[in-house]
Amino acid sequence: METTLLLKAYLKKLRLPTVGRDFPKIAEEAVKTNLPYDRYLLALLEQEVLQREENALKMRLKRANFPVLKTLETFDFGASASLNKQKVLQLAEGRWIQAAENVILVGNSGVGKTHIAVALGIAACRKECSVRFFPLAKLVTLLLEAQAQHALSRMERQLERVDLLILDELGYVPFSKTGAELIFGIIASRYERRSVLVTTNMEFSLWPEVFAGERMTAALVDRLTHKSHILSMSGESYRFKQSHQKILGIPATNGSNPVDSLRAADILAPSAGA
Ligand code: ADP
Ligand code: MG
């Protein structure tokens, strides 16, 4: 009894809560199975390490602030003809983040840009990287607020430390000059030091409209695209495809798209008869 109390006190002091929780149960099993002392210790420490890794992953996912938790497992590459699956799987390995490279996902609305951005972010969390996800317009608002409260440099320092910064939806809504300058500052400070992932529905030639002016946009695009992986995701909107399938009475599937095969059959049938 006294042993148990002392053990609990020491384990608490040493911050080994999982060992503290599991040692009576694992000790009982060890007696039953004649487990050697070192194997008993190993089993206990393994539990502690696994629990810590799980807690750390949960914390990284929480801090990343993803809008949804979507992974590559639920992404239907068959429905996204233009996206290079091998390239995405390779990016999920995370070496681009170690090399401080960038990823730019370009494509129209509904093609899965946010889905892939989140999935790569989650993959990065699994590789023990720190990640922050922002809809770009939201980050601009937060930076402007921080500036008004004289807390800008603190926020900038916090963002600088993050391994991967995900900026979602660089779109048609232009920023104020100050907003554009703040975003430029964030991206410039990460150049060749830390990774940025940007999703956008606009080709680079249209970016000056968003970033208030040619010169700053040119400098920004320069920094962002140097050492970057640009993935094109153009195609039909996945949302649109799914609602289209519902209208046609075809159940949505995760495999090949029945709407596509229907069209292919329609097109092929007459020529096959001719
Ligand atoms: P975007 O950011 O390009 O506008 P989203 O990532 O928001 O598009 O995708 C819209 C919805 O369709 C989301 O629910 C997303 O999970 C889903 N989606 C898009 N493309 C795919 C796909 N190829 N496989 C599975 N789900 C997809
Ligand atoms: Mg999106």
Side-chain angles (χ1 to χ4, degrees):
M1 187 60 207
E2 198 187 336
T3 310
T4 303
L5 282 178
L6 270 175
L7 264 173
K8 293 224 171 201
Y10 288 156
L11 290 168
K12 194 169 175 199
K13 211 166 195 173
L14 291 170
R15 296 178 206 282
L16 295 166
T18 309
V19 174
R21 187 193 64 200
D22 290 353
F23 81 82
K25 189 184 72 201
I26 297 183
E28 213 174 283
E29 279 165 24
V31 170
K32 271 192 220 148
T33 57
N34 253 330
L35 205 63
Y37 295 122
D38 58 351
R39 293 289 301 281
Y40 169 66
L41 186 60
L42 179 66
L44 274 180
L45 295 183
E46 217 160 46
Q47 287 306 312
E48 185 71 46
V49 168
L50 286 175
Q51 188 64 55
R52 273 190 201 189
E53 283 173 355
E54 193 186 315
N55 291 347
L57 174 61
K58 276 190 192 152
M59 188 54 83
R60 283 194 295 276
L61 289 173
K62 201 173 144 195
R63 292 216 176 109
N65 211 11
F66 296 116
V68 284
L69 290 179
K70 303 228 167 174
T71 61
L72 292 180
E73 284 81 49
T74 62
F75 191 79
D76 175 8
F77 284 91
S80 183
S82 66
L83 185 64
N84 183 339
K85 178 177 179 178
Q86 286 316 312
K87 180 81 190 174
V88 174
L89 295 182
Q90 183 203 326
L91 289 172
E93 297 289 321
R95 276 183 296 275
W96 63 287
I97 301 171
Q98 261 78 56
E101 294 165 354
N102 300 326
V103 166
I104 303 171
L105 303 174
V106 192
N108 46 296
S109 177
V111 292
K113 297 184 299 296
T114 301
H115 189 138
I116 291 289
V118 168
L120 288 177
I122 292 175
C125 288
R126 290 206 175 112
K127 299 277 176 191
E128 303 191 0
C129 295
S130 56
V131 179
R132 294 287 180 284
F133 181 107
F134 294 97
L136 185 52
K138 175 76 190 285
L139 179 60
V140 171
T141 307
L142 290 174
L143 287 168
L144 288 168
E145 273 171 21
Q147 193 180 42
Q149 292 159 10
H150 306 288
L152 182 61
S153 50
R154 200 181 62 197
M155 187 173 175
E156 284 173 336
R157 275 200 308 277
Q158 282 172 357
L159 288 175
E160 264 174 44
R161 280 199 295 269
V162 168
D163 295 317
L164 170 61
L165 181 64
I166 301 180
L167 304 177
D168 194 29
E169 273 181 56
L170 190 153
Y172 291 112
V173 184
F175 306 123
S176 65
K177 190 161 178 295
T178 317
E181 279 164 6
L182 289 172
I183 287 297
F184 178 79
I186 296 291
I187 288 173
S189 73
R190 301 180 72 78
Y191 178 59
E192 291 198 316
R193 296 179 50 236
R194 298 260 199 273
S195 293
V196 182
L197 185 156
V198 174
T199 79
T200 181
N201 56 4
M202 300 202 312
E203 46 184 283
F204 295 122
S205 64
L206 296 172
W207 284 26
E209 292 171 27
V210 181
F211 281 103
E214 299 281 347
R215 272 179 58 201
M216 195 166 61
T217 312
L220 180 128
V221 169
D222 227 40
R223 281 166 180 76
L224 214 49
T225 55
H226 179 217
K227 295 190 183 167
S228 76
H229 308 264
I230 301 174
L231 305 188
S232 159
M233 296 184 67
S234 57
E236 215 180 328
S237 160
Y238 192 81
R239 279 186 284 249
F240 175 77
K241 269 192 203 168
Q242 287 207 320
S243 50
H244 199 60
Q245 283 168 3
K246 273 192 207 132
I247 293 163
L248 289 174
I250 302 164
T253 66
N254 275 328
S256 66
N257 187 334
V259 171
D260 288 345
S261 55
L262 194 81
R263 282 197 199 127
D266 286 347
I267 295 161
L268 287 175
S271 63

